[in-house]
């Protein structure tokens, strides 16, 4: 499966962005999906995960209450709604597919290319 993230850009602190991750090659309806990010000079970190049905989600403490992960299996797409953005949210954001428990451990079967989010102060 190929994953393509989009929707990044430059936004002021306090603003919002919605990232999309479109899958192709096969359906992701049976896969859990996750978002990760990597800031300059830092390691890649987990952001959010959603189960195949959308029933279960989990977030990193740093984004809890501000970010929302969702999915539309009919469109083979996963989203990350980011509100109340902070400068420390600046990073390249990646989507990934795999098992729910694996995503929480940063172990994914498929990775997409990233999309850059820059939050200015």
């Amino acid at each position: 499966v190929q994953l393509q993230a989009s929707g990044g850009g430059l936004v002021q602190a306090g603003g919002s962005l919605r990232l999309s991750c479109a899958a192709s090659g096969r359906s992701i309806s049976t896969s859990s999906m996750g978002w990760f990010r990597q800031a300059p000079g830092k390691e890649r970190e987990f952001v959010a995960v959603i189960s195949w049905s959308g029933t279960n989600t989990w977030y990193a403490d740093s984004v809890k209450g501000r970010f929302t992960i969702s999915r539309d299996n009919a469109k083979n797409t996963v989203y990350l709604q980011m509100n109340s953005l902070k400068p420390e949210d600046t990073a390249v954001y990646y989507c990934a597919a795999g098992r729910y428990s694996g995503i929480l451990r940063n172990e994914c079967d498929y990775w997409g290319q990233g999309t850059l989010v820059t939050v200015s102060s």
Side-chain angles (χ1 to χ4, degrees):
V1 61
Q2 291 78 47
L3 303 173
Q4 179 68 53
S6 61
L10 175 63
V11 63
Q12 289 188 334
S16 298
L17 279 176
R18 188 176 84 153
L19 305 183
S20 298
C21 174
S24 61
R26 72 164 179 85
S27 171
I28 59 168
S29 62
T30 58
S31 297
S32 292
M33 300 294 294
W35 285 97
F36 295 79
R37 67 186 182 186
Q38 186 167 19
K42 294 187 177 182
E43 294 187 352
R44 184 176 60 201
E45 64 175 0
F46 164 80
V47 174
V49 61
I50 187 167
S51 61
W52 67 270
S53 64
T55 302
N56 297 310
T57 59
W58 192 256
Y59 299 90
D61 288 343
S62 58
V63 307
K64 201 170 292 184
R66 300 187 297 122
F67 289 12
T68 302
I69 188 171
S70 62
R71 66 190 298 160
D72 185 338
N73 286 339
K75 294 182 178 180
N76 229 24
T77 302
V78 178
Y79 306 96
L80 185 68
Q81 177 67 44
M82 306 186 294
N83 298 329
S84 303
L85 283 161
K86 305 175 181 180
E88 51 264 43
D89 293 320
T90 294
V92 176
Y93 284 72
Y94 300 88
C95 59
R99 295 190 301 175
Y100 194 91
S101 58
I103 290 173
L104 290 173
R105 297 193 303 268
N106 213 340
E107 298 170 358
C108 302
D109 297 326
Y110 303 98
W111 292 91
Q113 62 184 73
T115 185
L116 176 62
V117 172
T118 304
V119 184
S120 63
S121 57

